[in-house]
Amino acid sequence: MTAPSMADRPHQVRLTSNGLTGSVEIDGTDVSSSVQGFNLEARLGSAPLLVLYAAPQTGVQFDGLAHVAVGDQQDPGDAVAAFLANIDPAALSRAALNRDDLDGTPHELTRAMLMQLADMALGKAGA
């Protein structure tokens, strides 16, 4: 039998931040010194989910019940590598060669592929 986690039941949560300083309280206990940031996700019909992270957030205020989970700060390199691993090389080549910003300068194909990858990452149409 595994030990219950904080996410198993909602906890009373109070979040405040003015952009420079902030506080995080869980069940009346100030945990701000252990938390450098958080994400708060809310969906209709269920308690919000508070994920505690290691990056400061700004302009947030919340007071209510929420499920709480401690998140693992993702290395951006991991996300980039996962994104690139799912790129179809043939589709990337076609899309880069069909760009209207090819200009005939040295390294234009490499530049077009990098720009195309950025467009794909942002979910831009035509990517």
Side-chain angles (χ1 to χ4, degrees):
M1 176 185 239
T2 61
S5 76
M6 288 196 71
D8 289 339
R9 68 174 180 78
H11 296 266
Q12 181 64 39
V13 175
R14 174 167 287 150
L15 307 173
T16 59
S17 175
N18 65 9
L20 298 175
T21 61
S23 67
V24 177
E25 290 181 23
I26 299 175
D27 294 332
T29 301
D30 187 339
V31 295
S32 303
S33 63
S34 300
V35 176
Q36 295 179 11
F38 53 83
N39 282 334
L40 180 65
E41 178 182 319
R43 295 181 188 267
L44 296 176
S46 63
L49 173 64
L50 172 66
V51 181
L52 304 176
Y53 287 105
Q57 302 291 322
T58 61
V60 176
Q61 191 166 23
F62 175 81
D63 186 2
L65 291 176
H67 290 281
V68 178
V70 176
D72 183 17
Q73 188 77 23
Q74 291 285 328
D75 180 349
D78 293 340
V80 171
F83 169 74
L84 293 174
N86 289 301
I87 297 295
D88 175 357
L92 175 60
S93 292
R94 282 191 305 275
L97 290 169
N98 288 326
R99 291 181 66 92
D100 60 7
D101 55 0
L102 294 176
D103 57 9
T105 59
H107 314 294
E108 74 173 342
L109 182 57
T110 302
R111 188 177 306 106
M113 286 183 159
L114 290 171
M115 292 171 64
Q116 187 63 40
L117 287 168
D119 287 348
M120 290 173 159
L122 295 173
K124 291 188 178 176

